Amino acid sequence: RPYAYGDEFDPLLGNTMETRLKRSSPVGVFVTGDTPEGVSDLTGNVFEWTSSVFGKDGEDVPEFGYPYAPDDGRENPDASASAARVVRGGSWFFDHLFARASFRYWNLPGNRGPADGFRLVISSPNSPVPLAAGAA
């Protein structure tokens, strides 16, 4: 699916520039934009940091492409602090093209901003699927 919730973009299903909130929103505001698997806010809100190395600072061409290979160096926990990391999901500050499921971009680990965040996932003993919560 192009967007976490389905095939067509809808500004009422995720927090992107088109939604016009102009800030991040609490998890669960866009419940009709949940994925079929029940995960909230994967389209827009904040760019979510990942552990994956993108490549060198300032290069828009990723050092690690697809197909995904976890042993190719992109998941190296000891990678240099100057190595750009992958951010995904889009944000309230950018339009819906940045929120496509296939879109990934980079940021440096030391950078912080109102359009950046992360996702925590915990497993509940009473739930068959992990629960996820985003943070700005």
Side-chain angles (χ1 to χ4, degrees), residues 17 52 54 64 75-76 91 100 108 120 129 133:
M17 183 182 287
S52 298
F54 187 89
F64 301 101
E75 300 300 340
N76 180 2
S91 91
R100 293 177 55 88
L108 295 172
L120 297 174
V129 270

Side-chain angles (χ1 to χ4, degrees), residues 41-126:
D41 298 312
L42 288 180
T43 300
N45 207 22
V46 293
F47 270 116
E48 295 177 355
W49 289 98
T50 72
S51 61
S52 298
V53 173
F54 187 89
K56 297 179 182 69
D57 174 19
E59 294 183 12
D60 287 336
V61 177
E63 184 176 342
F64 301 101
Y66 285 96
Y68 180 82
D71 58 351
D72 66 1
R74 76 178 77 210
E75 300 300 340
N76 180 2
D78 298 320
S80 166
S82 65
R85 304 293 173 151
V86 174
V87 293
R88 298 193 78 127
S91 91
W92 62 269
F93 193 76
F94 294 94
D95 71 31
H96 69 281
L97 298 177
F98 290 81
R100 293 177 55 88
S102 62
F103 184 81
R104 65 186 187 139
Y105 199 59
W106 62 270
N107 204 343
L108 295 172
N111 288 354
R112 300 291 181 267
D116 303 325
F118 58 92
R119 180 170 295 261
L120 297 174
V121 179
I122 59 169
S123 181
S124 170
N126 299 325

